Amino acid sequence: MLAPSTQRGQCLFCSFRALVARTPKHIYNVQRSFITSTPRAREVKRTKPSPSASGAAVRLRRHGRKTTSSQDFSFPDETVLKRVQLALKDLKEDLSSREAISDSEPSPLEALDPGGTRWTNYTTRLKDILEFRGEKATAQEERLLYEIGSAQSNKSSTQDLQRVLHYGFIDFVLHKNMEDGILSKSAITDLRYPTEWYTAARQIQRNVHLHIGPTNSGKTYNALKRLEEKGDGFYAGPLRLLAHEVYSRFKAKGAKCDLVTGDDIRRDDDPNVSLYASTVEMVDVSTPVEVAVIDEIQMIASEDRGWAWTRAFLGANAKEVHLCGEARVLPLVRELCAATGDTLQVHEYKRLNPLKVMTKSLGGDLKNLRKGDCIVTFSVMNIHALKKQIELDTGRHCAIVYGSLPPETRAAQAALFNDPDNDYDFLVASDAIGMGLNLSVKRIIFHRVHKFNGVGHEQLSVPQIKQIGGRAGRYRSAHHQMNDGKSKTSSEVSVGLVTTLNEEDLPIVRQAMNAEAPPLKVAGLLPPGDFMEDLAARLPKGIPFEYILRRVADSAAMHRRFKMCSIRDQSDIARSIESVRGLSVTDRIIFVAAPCSRGSQRVNAVAQALARCIAQKREISIIDVPEINLEVLEVPISGDRSYLESLEDLHKSLVLFLWLSYRFISNLKDRDVAFYAKGLVEDKINTCLVEFSANPELRKRVLAYKKRMSIPSLPTDGTALPASSSQLDMPAEDETALPVDWMRGESGAESGEEQESRSVAAAAA
């Protein structure tokens, strides 16, 4: 979030986790024909309001429907006004009674309304526009009505309405201050020329090499060869797992290399090392290098993380910049190179092996699976259910990979699947495999072609299906590259196959695989940290940081070539720590960039506890934070999903602690203890996934296998993950298979899908 300040040399946002952007709660139209653009919301019939309906009810219904529901919700005038008046009363009491940061500063209400007239004028004007009286509402007031209508839909929560009214009051005060000349109108953020933020990169003539082509075409391989030749530069990838993999390959070849991710920094013994692998958010744009390799450049248009690719590309202080990605990014890169004055060379690639869509599906029968198959589904619950059913039906082991698993566990599961010398014949994965994971997949099978986006179902886009389907028939997996000559099976070129579990989805996949994705036209952007600090310094004291964040994003002036990235996750983090007193603006900027899982209450509680410790300037370790649930490490391992979720939450909490420990060095101590606990959690998660099976025979075989040899894993730091002794609680009786109907993909159990969609982005933190 918020690119680092280059004017002051501050590195406020070394890493960032963005989650899935909020989308309106419409009911998506599930189309059977394929679409190449973002799915559009279905038009909902609007009933004409009764003539007796009041102005306020009609207007609130019109504004509120936009973001909350496809159904009308109207309130009588008395109900609307009563709720608003009660919320205003509570808000005034809260702002008046809230303690200032210091005795010399006024309360939040006094800071906004020193003369005592603004509040009265605001409440009077608000009543007028709610009752449809007086002057026509301004655009700012229309937005306030829109947000009040949205908050009105949630009758059980008064905090949302109170927050909307608070931000409306701030808008009102600032607008009046501008009219009175107290506040300059230049406070609006100007983000039209982001190329000028990186002066060091603009002072050199860069040669940009764009490597474009489909998946499994050798794009990144050739770019990394150039980086290896020079030995001076960086690799920036979208996932921590990919950064680990590149780091491990360089180290395996004897190259001196550093690893830089948000929560893990490993420096070589030689202080003069100038080669490092990192996540894209951690790119150092101030240090000059020879070669920069930026992977998955098409993510520059991402709604959530596009800003990181924009920053890395525009700011890379390298003589050669190698961009690897899809062909649809070419028009945008051409425009950006023209704006920066860089030369551009385009290198086009073709797949190293053929990719074909099968003429038949599996017919809904998991017994038709073959060794090397990967089923892709989009729900954590479905992943575990599929694993259970496959092992029961086939008597063979099934590995799983999804976003909320720790990178080390995903690597271990991928290694089990890649190893041809064991009985892990199948893989069940989320769309996380579509981003760089090297797997020996012979056939990709779509469980279904619709995905839950947190609000409703939407059909997968052309790029999504092609990215996932392209993982079939990998030319050379990571297992083969790191274990040449050690496997009984050679890495011959094989045909990649793509199909579906159910017949009705196959035409959609076939059409998508043959379609061309539309070109990218805009790059994501977020305001730099110093912009936020400067604006906060000009505004009255006590204004919530979430307000500053949202209003800058809403009002910033942008060039048509760029777009503002979503700030929903950052806003949620800012809101959760707003009550913590004593944090500076810089502290809050760092926190909103932290990898805090919005979908987990446990992790949010940990973030609040760490914020309080930092505000109080305490020195702590993980054992001093009771919200970090270390007690789960003492619970015997089981195959229960809630147990695995507890381990995943603990892992996220430890990652958050480690991430912050690199930014608040004087407060968060004993990093080695946190790393040790993190390793224990990863071992337990891996043991849980490896040893637990619904098939008793498989359970016996894996325990016998562990006695003979270690479970294979993919090295990420030069060492393999240790094999753990079994701590599995054996069930009292055999578990039964699930009903066949659930495989149709129409189950209503979607609670895991929103979490999974957020988790893919979390992997980069």
PDB file of all heavy atoms in Angstrom, residues 540-552:
ATOM      1  N   PRO A 540      -6.969  19.539  10.272  1.00  0.00           N
ATOM      2  CA  PRO A 540      -7.136  19.666  11.734  1.00  0.00           C
ATOM      3  C   PRO A 540      -6.733  18.382  12.453  1.00  0.00           C
ATOM      4  O   PRO A 540      -6.818  17.286  11.898  1.00  0.00           O
ATOM      5  CB  PRO A 540      -8.639  19.945  11.889  1.00  0.00           C
ATOM      6  CG  PRO A 540      -9.056  20.527  10.582  1.00  0.00           C
ATOM      7  CD  PRO A 540      -8.197  19.877   9.542  1.00  0.00           C
ATOM      8  N   LYS A 541      -6.304  18.520  13.686  1.00  0.00           N
ATOM      9  CA  LYS A 541      -5.871  17.367  14.468  1.00  0.00           C
ATOM     10  C   LYS A 541      -7.064  16.452  14.769  1.00  0.00           C
ATOM     11  O   LYS A 541      -8.200  16.891  14.866  1.00  0.00           O
ATOM     12  CB  LYS A 541      -5.241  17.826  15.788  1.00  0.00           C
ATOM     13  CG  LYS A 541      -4.029  18.719  15.621  1.00  0.00           C
ATOM     14  CD  LYS A 541      -2.863  17.957  15.007  1.00  0.00           C
ATOM     15  CE  LYS A 541      -1.615  18.824  14.925  1.00  0.00           C
ATOM     16  NZ  LYS A 541      -0.486  18.116  14.287  1.00  0.00           N
ATOM     17  N   GLY A 542      -6.758  15.174  14.931  1.00  0.00           N
ATOM     18  CA  GLY A 542      -7.789  14.232  15.352  1.00  0.00           C
ATOM     19  C   GLY A 542      -8.606  13.622  14.232  1.00  0.00           C
ATOM     20  O   GLY A 542      -9.532  12.856  14.510  1.00  0.00           O
ATOM     21  N   ILE A 543      -8.317  13.947  12.975  1.00  0.00           N
ATOM     22  CA  ILE A 543      -9.061  13.352  11.867  1.00  0.00           C
ATOM     23  C   ILE A 543      -8.617  11.904  11.689  1.00  0.00           C
ATOM     24  O   ILE A 543      -7.410  11.631  11.636  1.00  0.00           O
ATOM     25  CB  ILE A 543      -8.848  14.147  10.567  1.00  0.00           C
ATOM     26  CG1 ILE A 543      -9.549  15.506  10.676  1.00  0.00           C
ATOM     27  CG2 ILE A 543      -9.377  13.394   9.358  1.00  0.00           C
ATOM     28  CD1 ILE A 543      -9.457  16.353   9.435  1.00  0.00           C
ATOM     29  N   PRO A 544      -9.546  10.959  11.619  1.00  0.00           N
ATOM     30  CA  PRO A 544      -9.160   9.543  11.480  1.00  0.00           C
ATOM     31  C   PRO A 544      -8.304   9.313  10.236  1.00  0.00           C
ATOM     32  O   PRO A 544      -8.539   9.907   9.187  1.00  0.00           O
ATOM     33  CB  PRO A 544     -10.503   8.813  11.367  1.00  0.00           C
ATOM     34  CG  PRO A 544     -11.497   9.735  11.996  1.00  0.00           C
ATOM     35  CD  PRO A 544     -11.008  11.118  11.714  1.00  0.00           C
ATOM     36  N   PHE A 545      -7.330   8.434  10.367  1.00  0.00           N
ATOM     37  CA  PHE A 545      -6.450   8.162   9.229  1.00  0.00           C
ATOM     38  C   PHE A 545      -7.212   7.491   8.094  1.00  0.00           C
ATOM     39  O   PHE A 545      -6.890   7.682   6.919  1.00  0.00           O
ATOM     40  CB  PHE A 545      -5.282   7.283   9.667  1.00  0.00           C
ATOM     41  CG  PHE A 545      -4.312   6.994   8.559  1.00  0.00           C
ATOM     42  CD1 PHE A 545      -3.471   7.984   8.080  1.00  0.00           C
ATOM     43  CD2 PHE A 545      -4.255   5.749   7.968  1.00  0.00           C
ATOM     44  CE1 PHE A 545      -2.588   7.745   7.043  1.00  0.00           C
ATOM     45  CE2 PHE A 545      -3.374   5.484   6.930  1.00  0.00           C
ATOM     46  CZ  PHE A 545      -2.539   6.485   6.468  1.00  0.00           C
ATOM     47  N   GLU A 546      -8.236   6.699   8.427  1.00  0.00           N
ATOM     48  CA  GLU A 546      -9.033   6.075   7.369  1.00  0.00           C
ATOM     49  C   GLU A 546      -9.682   7.135   6.489  1.00  0.00           C
ATOM     50  O   GLU A 546      -9.779   6.975   5.275  1.00  0.00           O
ATOM     51  CB  GLU A 546     -10.101   5.163   7.967  1.00  0.00           C
ATOM     52  CG  GLU A 546     -10.918   4.441   6.903  1.00  0.00           C
ATOM     53  CD  GLU A 546     -12.187   3.806   7.446  1.00  0.00           C
ATOM     54  OE1 GLU A 546     -12.484   3.990   8.641  1.00  0.00           O
ATOM     55  OE2 GLU A 546     -12.875   3.137   6.662  1.00  0.00           O
ATOM     56  N   TYR A 547     -10.129   8.223   7.119  1.00  0.00           N
ATOM     57  CA  TYR A 547     -10.731   9.305   6.328  1.00  0.00           C
ATOM     58  C   TYR A 547      -9.707   9.889   5.355  1.00  0.00           C
ATOM     59  O   TYR A 547      -9.994  10.098   4.174  1.00  0.00           O
ATOM     60  CB  TYR A 547     -11.254  10.407   7.257  1.00  0.00           C
ATOM     61  CG  TYR A 547     -11.702  11.641   6.509  1.00  0.00           C
ATOM     62  CD1 TYR A 547     -13.003  11.749   6.034  1.00  0.00           C
ATOM     63  CD2 TYR A 547     -10.822  12.696   6.260  1.00  0.00           C
ATOM     64  CE1 TYR A 547     -13.412  12.863   5.316  1.00  0.00           C
ATOM     65  CE2 TYR A 547     -11.220  13.807   5.547  1.00  0.00           C
ATOM     66  CZ  TYR A 547     -12.517  13.888   5.084  1.00  0.00           C
ATOM     67  OH  TYR A 547     -12.909  14.992   4.365  1.00  0.00           O
ATOM     68  N   ILE A 548      -8.507  10.154   5.851  1.00  0.00           N
ATOM     69  CA  ILE A 548      -7.469  10.724   4.988  1.00  0.00           C
ATOM     70  C   ILE A 548      -7.177   9.781   3.826  1.00  0.00           C
ATOM     71  O   ILE A 548      -7.080  10.190   2.670  1.00  0.00           O
ATOM     72  CB  ILE A 548      -6.191  10.985   5.805  1.00  0.00           C
ATOM     73  CG1 ILE A 548      -6.487  11.974   6.938  1.00  0.00           C
ATOM     74  CG2 ILE A 548      -5.070  11.511   4.905  1.00  0.00           C
ATOM     75  CD1 ILE A 548      -5.318  12.179   7.887  1.00  0.00           C
ATOM     76  N   LEU A 549      -7.077   8.506   4.143  1.00  0.00           N
ATOM     77  CA  LEU A 549      -6.770   7.503   3.131  1.00  0.00           C
ATOM     78  C   LEU A 549      -7.850   7.456   2.053  1.00  0.00           C
ATOM     79  O   LEU A 549      -7.565   7.492   0.850  1.00  0.00           O
ATOM     80  CB  LEU A 549      -6.627   6.145   3.817  1.00  0.00           C
ATOM     81  CG  LEU A 549      -6.198   4.944   2.977  1.00  0.00           C
ATOM     82  CD1 LEU A 549      -4.790   5.146   2.440  1.00  0.00           C
ATOM     83  CD2 LEU A 549      -6.270   3.678   3.818  1.00  0.00           C
ATOM     84  N   ARG A 550      -9.092   7.400   2.481  1.00  0.00           N
ATOM     85  CA  ARG A 550     -10.193   7.277   1.523  1.00  0.00           C
ATOM     86  C   ARG A 550     -10.396   8.540   0.712  1.00  0.00           C
ATOM     87  O   ARG A 550     -10.659   8.479  -0.496  1.00  0.00           O
ATOM     88  CB  ARG A 550     -11.472   6.907   2.272  1.00  0.00           C
ATOM     89  CG  ARG A 550     -11.430   5.538   2.900  1.00  0.00           C
ATOM     90  CD  ARG A 550     -12.655   5.253   3.748  1.00  0.00           C
ATOM     91  NE  ARG A 550     -13.892   5.320   2.971  1.00  0.00           N
ATOM     92  CZ  ARG A 550     -15.096   5.084   3.487  1.00  0.00           C
ATOM     93  NH1 ARG A 550     -15.221   4.759   4.764  1.00  0.00           N
ATOM     94  NH2 ARG A 550     -16.168   5.159   2.739  1.00  0.00           N
ATOM     95  N   ARG A 551     -10.279   9.677   1.347  1.00  0.00           N
ATOM     96  CA  ARG A 551     -10.533  10.919   0.617  1.00  0.00           C
ATOM     97  C   ARG A 551      -9.418  11.219  -0.384  1.00  0.00           C
ATOM     98  O   ARG A 551      -9.667  11.758  -1.453  1.00  0.00           O
ATOM     99  CB  ARG A 551     -10.707  12.081   1.607  1.00  0.00           C
ATOM    100  CG  ARG A 551     -11.993  12.017   2.399  1.00  0.00           C
ATOM    101  CD  ARG A 551     -13.211  11.966   1.495  1.00  0.00           C
ATOM    102  NE  ARG A 551     -14.456  11.896   2.242  1.00  0.00           N
ATOM    103  CZ  ARG A 551     -15.240  10.831   2.323  1.00  0.00           C
ATOM    104  NH1 ARG A 551     -14.885   9.713   1.704  1.00  0.00           N
ATOM    105  NH2 ARG A 551     -16.367  10.860   3.000  1.00  0.00           N
ATOM    106  N   VAL A 552      -8.180  10.870  -0.049  1.00  0.00           N
ATOM    107  CA  VAL A 552      -7.088  11.049  -1.016  1.00  0.00           C
ATOM    108  C   VAL A 552      -7.321  10.148  -2.225  1.00  0.00           C
ATOM    109  O   VAL A 552      -7.173  10.569  -3.378  1.00  0.00           O
ATOM    110  CB  VAL A 552      -5.725  10.742  -0.359  1.00  0.00           C
ATOM    111  CG1 VAL A 552      -4.648  10.621  -1.419  1.00  0.00           C
ATOM    112  CG2 VAL A 552      -5.352  11.836   0.624  1.00  0.00           C
TER     113      VAL A 552
END
